[in-house]
Amino acid sequence: MFHRRLLLLLVLFACAMGVLGAQLVRLTIVQGQEHRREAEQVLSSRTLVETVRGPIIDRKGRVLAEDRPCYDIAVDYPVITGQWAYDQARRIAYRDYKSSWAKLSFDQRETLIQEYRPPFDQTLERLWSLMVEYGNIDRSELERRKQTVIKRVQTIRSDVWDRRAKRRAAEQGGPVELDQVAVKVAEEVDEHTLLPAVVDSVAYNFRKLIDELPGLHVIRAKTRQYPQRSMAVKLDRAALPTPLKSDEPVTIDVQNVGAHLIGSMRDAWAEDEQQRPFHRRGTDPDLGGYLPGDRVGLGGVEAAEEDRLRGLRGELVRRKDTGQVTRTESAPGEAVQLTIDIALQARVRAIMDPEFGLMRVQSWHGNSGMPLGTPLYGAAIVMDVDSGHVMAMVSTPVPPSRIEGEPYPDLTKDPDGPLMNKPVASVYPPGSTVKPIVYCMAAATGNIGADQAVDCEGHLLEGKPNLYRCWGWRPAQGKYLRHGPLSPQEAIARSCNIYFYTCGRNMGARTIVEQFHHWGFGKAIGLGLPEEVDGFLPQLEGGNIEGRELSLPNAIMMGIGQGPIAVPPIQVATAHAALARGGYYLTPLLIRNRAAQQDGHELGMSPHVIDNALQGMRMSANESFGTANHLTLETGREPLLNLPGVIVRGKTGTAQAPVQFKDLNENGQLDADEPIQRDGEHSWFVCHVQKPGELRASFVIVVMVEYGGSGGRVSGPVANQILHALRDEGYL
Amino acid sequence: MNFEALRQVLRPNLGHVCVITALALVVIGLQAIDTAPTPSWYGNITLKQAIFSGVALAVMLMVAMPHPKVVAHASFGLGLVTLALLALLLAPGTPESIIPRINGAKRWINFPGLQFQPSEMAKIVFVLALARYLRYRENYRRMRGLIPPLVITFVPMGLILVEPDLGTSLIFLPVLFAMLLAAGAKIKHLLLIIVLGLSLMPMMYPLLKPHQKARIVSMISQVRGDTRLRNTTGFQSYKAITTAGAGEVVGYGKERAEVILRYNALPEAHNDMVFAVICARWGLIGGMMVLGLYLLLIASMLAVAGLNKDPFSRLVVVGLTTIIFTQVMVNVGMTVGLLPITGMTLPLISYGGSSLVATFVMIGLVLGAASRRPMIMSRPSFEFTTAGSS
């Protein structure tokens, strides 16, 4: 029996050691490679070499954004709070009273510490006054920056304590004492920048003092500079409507030129790090990956071209065992060139500044909803017809620029939409601006004869005078305008609704939506900006929500650019450029580096139809009955487009806009007690401008003023000034 | 000098297989210690270990010479002395010069020229005392008869637990069970006690020290593949697993292994973590070879027990085998990430004089037992023949 038991023990021991052996096989064979990689990883130390973000330049090579080396002047947190002076005084007091310190009461100690404090307070005072002097800022501004830092650190600290308390409470399942969570956070020890991005000479001044002043750091940094952001634009006022006309030019300071378009920078978010992490499991780090603290493009081209602009870090890998150094050079980011002319952009911005006068409610606007002088906002686009280049793309109002470390106001609920890049990111019913295009669509699909006349009786349906009315037929106001029989050209020139209701009705919903798609409506236009939206049209497949069905009434309404259609202004500009090009659709281009992705297709229009549509627009601008022809002021009629020596075609649009209200209960519907913020019509104006001697228009201008009212009266003068701006910049 | 005894010891016997296997492990250990990175002020620890080995061999011979009867006779006395020393460690007011407090634990006694751990001695003396108690009895085949052996175990174990030295104290339980098993205690009784003990284990968890809990938590997270504790409480284990696994099948070889171990900063590489050094240098082959040598050592020790007829010697050898087995299990288990980290040396391989001497004392006792011819008239011991009640 003893031997059996011995054998049993031996078997037990051998089995147990077999388990060890099996685990050893697992470690060395199954996971061996991974362990080997990890074990060898520590042999090399990496130092990252920073790269430079690529510049953004405009069509003429002017720098719109670039990285510049600079210095940040930073100060340790205890110095910012003044705690440093107390700590120093306490240290000295303790040194001098070491023997009796333990016996002193708290108050006695405090009194002693206060006695030792003055020299340290003076040192701090010297630091602050030097910062004010060298940094060229007010003392109050410095104090404000210090307070901002303190507030931010306190927020971080309370967040960290909160998180710790929650975790602890979960672990121990009971209440948590303060001293279990009250830890010093790194930000309470670290330095914080008080003078960001100072020039070399200022940095040098501080560097000399670095041993004399406490907690001072001069940090090599780089900043993203936007040199063209702020400009003074001189505008001639001679071509303005009479009430604003003056012989004296006016200079308008425009800030943040192109801010919507170009974007800005932010710190990397966890999402960036997840999407392209620097550290990768099982292999070398991705030098293009994101690390905390990396700068990332925020909105506009900075975000759109992040991958191109970002560049690749370099690294120095030093083998600790052999001392061998492998250097991977950093690759600077590529330059990104825009099709924008920044001077033109600034000029259009200045024209659209309420200070200039056109973007305020004026007496001739006939705007009943808003008092005179109310600022108006909107979007404007200048597009080169031949190339599809976006030469200027303005959105107003422009938000304040972001300052590093400063809180940014929450503007997401602002009814003026300053954060929106309206030409690409906001949608509006295009209204009558699409009428020439609807005619082309109907003619090309055989739903109206190329030269077919339509009789305007004021309303579309016999016996229903209040349904599908023409714009001059308003029985409620005693207006009974009838256009009578109209050729397509005249219908466009007079912007007759009945003609285009007929086009819409004849095409039917499916055809008109297909045709809109064909002309680039209802899907993002492909500029590459992250803000771009598709716009809305009824869906061809899969059904639609109520009010957006593929129904005949909707087809009729879409004939005049109303009903279930809402598009960003860039789509209107692109479609008109296609029309001006003679029926060839070309996706627009904003970022020249993406030129290879530009895409075009024939729209299948006969030259005759295109000619008719363009002729209609030419009549609209040049015949006295045209809606884009003149402005009626108290002083009499004035031509709307008054740039001499060019051929202009125009099309107005006055599109019924959804009521904008403060949605207090956030149910998406207007309730009785919710205030109405904006109501009325969006004002549109489209203009094709052709240089004499050329075969077709060179530029398409689109202006859209939110809730501006009449297209001709509000947006027309803005478009006219943009024509002048094109001349001033040498394009016409 | 007792030449007769020396002649008996040197006469070829199964104990020599144990000694040769042990020496092979010592040689591997010397190589591994030479590979392990140590701070320069440690001096040439390979040479020191070689000297310790010589001393340990001499001690082994000295221990092997007395006849097991003499050893059995002295075992209760030795037990009392050991208990006294263990109690002395815990006695309040002892001067630091004699009983230093190292890392919060009082485990060592400083004699002039020699520092030693009574717990090392306690393991062996416990085996001797238990063997002496069990040798002519059979009451442990009843449940109630198991109580005295448990008491004999818990007294030294408790004293060591309080030092505190959890690792060493935990060796006592497997040894007790192995000896009871070999002595013929009923397996169902033993299983019952094991099940009871295991079911009490979770209740013991709150009594553990924070660092012990942290080691258990980090071991569990490590097994789950959670990497968060790698740089804190799980560092030692993580580094051990990484360097051991990095050896792959054939290992890095000496020079490369040295570099890998140095820059991975494997803690206690020459000591508790020496098995990781072996795997890094010789890979899976080396690790398996070491495990194989231990198995050979254990098997040959059990064979000594099997060939012996003296009940005391039989139980002593089984107990000592279990001590060595348990140390190997715990040490290698923690190195390969199957057990939480506790301070346990790898017998015969880890650097350290007392551990080496203690292990050779055990081998000496085994050698002593193997060297004696059985007495003609000896009655076979522990051969209970009640059918169906093994």
Side-chain angles (χ1 to χ4, degrees), chain A residues 627-643:
Chain A
T627 52
N629 176 251
H630 56 265
L631 211 52
T632 309
L633 303 170
E634 288 165 7
T635 49
R637 281 188 170 188
E638 287 179 8
L640 197 52
L641 304 172
N642 57 16
L643 184 71

Short mmCIF file of all heavy atoms in Angstrom, two decimals, chain A residues 627-643:
data_model
loop_
_atom_site.label_atom_id
_atom_site.label_comp_id
_atom_site.label_asym_id
_atom_site.label_seq_id
_atom_site.Cartn_x
_atom_site.Cartn_y
_atom_site.Cartn_z
N THR A 627 -37.24 90.71 -63.92
CA THR A 627 -37.22 90.85 -62.45
C THR A 627 -35.83 91.23 -61.95
O THR A 627 -35.69 91.73 -60.85
CB THR A 627 -37.62 89.53 -61.78
OG1 THR A 627 -36.81 88.47 -62.30
CG2 THR A 627 -39.08 89.21 -61.99
N ALA A 628 -34.79 90.99 -62.77
CA ALA A 628 -33.44 91.31 -62.32
C ALA A 628 -32.94 92.59 -62.99
O ALA A 628 -31.75 92.83 -63.08
CB ALA A 628 -32.50 90.15 -62.63
N ASN A 629 -33.88 93.41 -63.45
CA ASN A 629 -33.48 94.55 -64.26
C ASN A 629 -33.26 95.83 -63.46
O ASN A 629 -32.28 96.52 -63.65
CB ASN A 629 -34.53 94.80 -65.33
CG ASN A 629 -34.22 96.04 -66.14
OD1 ASN A 629 -34.90 97.04 -66.01
ND2 ASN A 629 -33.16 95.97 -66.95
N HIS A 630 -34.16 96.15 -62.60
CA HIS A 630 -34.05 97.44 -61.93
C HIS A 630 -34.51 97.38 -60.49
O HIS A 630 -35.13 96.41 -60.04
CB HIS A 630 -34.90 98.48 -62.68
CG HIS A 630 -36.33 98.05 -62.80
ND1 HIS A 630 -36.82 97.40 -63.90
CD2 HIS A 630 -37.36 98.16 -61.93
CE1 HIS A 630 -38.11 97.12 -63.71
NE2 HIS A 630 -38.47 97.57 -62.52
N LEU A 631 -34.15 98.43 -59.79
CA LEU A 631 -34.52 98.61 -58.40
C LEU A 631 -35.47 99.79 -58.37
O LEU A 631 -35.18 100.85 -58.97
CB LEU A 631 -33.24 98.97 -57.63
CG LEU A 631 -33.04 98.56 -56.20
CD1 LEU A 631 -33.28 97.09 -56.00
CD2 LEU A 631 -31.62 98.94 -55.79
N THR A 632 -36.60 99.64 -57.73
CA THR A 632 -37.53 100.76 -57.65
C THR A 632 -37.38 101.45 -56.30
O THR A 632 -37.66 100.86 -55.26
CB THR A 632 -38.98 100.28 -57.83
OG1 THR A 632 -39.04 99.49 -59.02
CG2 THR A 632 -39.93 101.45 -57.93
N LEU A 633 -36.86 102.65 -56.34
CA LEU A 633 -36.64 103.41 -55.11
C LEU A 633 -37.65 104.55 -55.06
O LEU A 633 -38.36 104.83 -56.03
CB LEU A 633 -35.22 103.98 -55.09
CG LEU A 633 -34.08 102.97 -55.24
CD1 LEU A 633 -32.77 103.68 -55.46
CD2 LEU A 633 -34.03 102.08 -54.02
N GLU A 634 -37.67 105.25 -53.92
CA GLU A 634 -38.56 106.42 -53.83
C GLU A 634 -38.14 107.47 -54.84
O GLU A 634 -38.95 108.25 -55.33
CB GLU A 634 -38.48 107.01 -52.41
CG GLU A 634 -39.18 106.12 -51.38
CD GLU A 634 -38.81 106.50 -49.96
OE1 GLU A 634 -38.13 107.53 -49.78
OE2 GLU A 634 -39.21 105.77 -49.04
N THR A 635 -36.84 107.48 -55.16
CA THR A 635 -36.33 108.48 -56.09
C THR A 635 -36.51 108.06 -57.53
O THR A 635 -36.13 108.77 -58.44
CB THR A 635 -34.83 108.70 -55.84
OG1 THR A 635 -34.21 107.41 -55.77
CG2 THR A 635 -34.61 109.44 -54.54
N GLY A 636 -37.04 106.87 -57.75
CA GLY A 636 -37.23 106.40 -59.11
C GLY A 636 -36.51 105.09 -59.36
O GLY A 636 -35.96 104.50 -58.46
N ARG A 637 -36.55 104.64 -60.63
CA ARG A 637 -35.93 103.37 -60.98
C ARG A 637 -34.43 103.53 -61.18
O ARG A 637 -33.97 104.52 -61.74
CB ARG A 637 -36.53 102.85 -62.28
CG ARG A 637 -37.87 102.21 -62.10
CD ARG A 637 -38.26 101.58 -63.42
NE ARG A 637 -39.44 100.75 -63.25
CZ ARG A 637 -39.92 99.95 -64.20
NH1 ARG A 637 -39.32 99.88 -65.37
NH2 ARG A 637 -41.00 99.24 -63.99
N GLU A 638 -33.69 102.52 -60.76
CA GLU A 638 -32.25 102.48 -61.02
C GLU A 638 -31.92 101.10 -61.55
O GLU A 638 -32.52 100.12 -61.09
CB GLU A 638 -31.45 102.71 -59.74
CG GLU A 638 -31.49 104.12 -59.26
CD GLU A 638 -30.71 104.31 -57.97
OE1 GLU A 638 -30.02 103.35 -57.54
OE2 GLU A 638 -30.83 105.40 -57.39
N PRO A 639 -30.99 101.01 -62.50
CA PRO A 639 -30.61 99.67 -62.94
C PRO A 639 -29.99 98.88 -61.78
O PRO A 639 -29.26 99.44 -60.97
CB PRO A 639 -29.59 99.91 -64.05
CG PRO A 639 -29.15 101.32 -63.88
CD PRO A 639 -30.24 102.07 -63.18
N LEU A 640 -30.34 97.60 -61.74
CA LEU A 640 -29.86 96.76 -60.64
C LEU A 640 -28.38 96.42 -60.82
O LEU A 640 -27.58 96.54 -59.92
CB LEU A 640 -30.70 95.48 -60.62
CG LEU A 640 -30.69 94.63 -59.37
CD1 LEU A 640 -31.00 95.44 -58.15
CD2 LEU A 640 -31.72 93.51 -59.53
N LEU A 641 -28.05 95.99 -62.04
CA LEU A 641 -26.67 95.61 -62.32
C LEU A 641 -26.06 96.71 -63.18
O LEU A 641 -26.48 96.91 -64.31
CB LEU A 641 -26.63 94.27 -63.06
CG LEU A 641 -27.33 93.12 -62.33
CD1 LEU A 641 -27.41 91.87 -63.21
CD2 LEU A 641 -26.63 92.78 -61.02
N ASN A 642 -25.12 97.46 -62.61
CA ASN A 642 -24.67 98.66 -63.30
C ASN A 642 -23.20 98.66 -63.65
O ASN A 642 -22.59 99.71 -63.76
CB ASN A 642 -25.03 99.91 -62.46
CG ASN A 642 -24.43 99.82 -61.05
OD1 ASN A 642 -23.53 99.01 -60.82
ND2 ASN A 642 -24.92 100.66 -60.14
N LEU A 643 -22.61 97.47 -63.79
CA LEU A 643 -21.21 97.44 -64.21
C LEU A 643 -21.15 97.57 -65.72
O LEU A 643 -21.68 96.73 -66.44
CB LEU A 643 -20.55 96.12 -63.77
CG LEU A 643 -19.05 96.03 -64.09
CD1 LEU A 643 -18.24 96.95 -63.19
CD2 LEU A 643 -18.57 94.60 -63.96
#
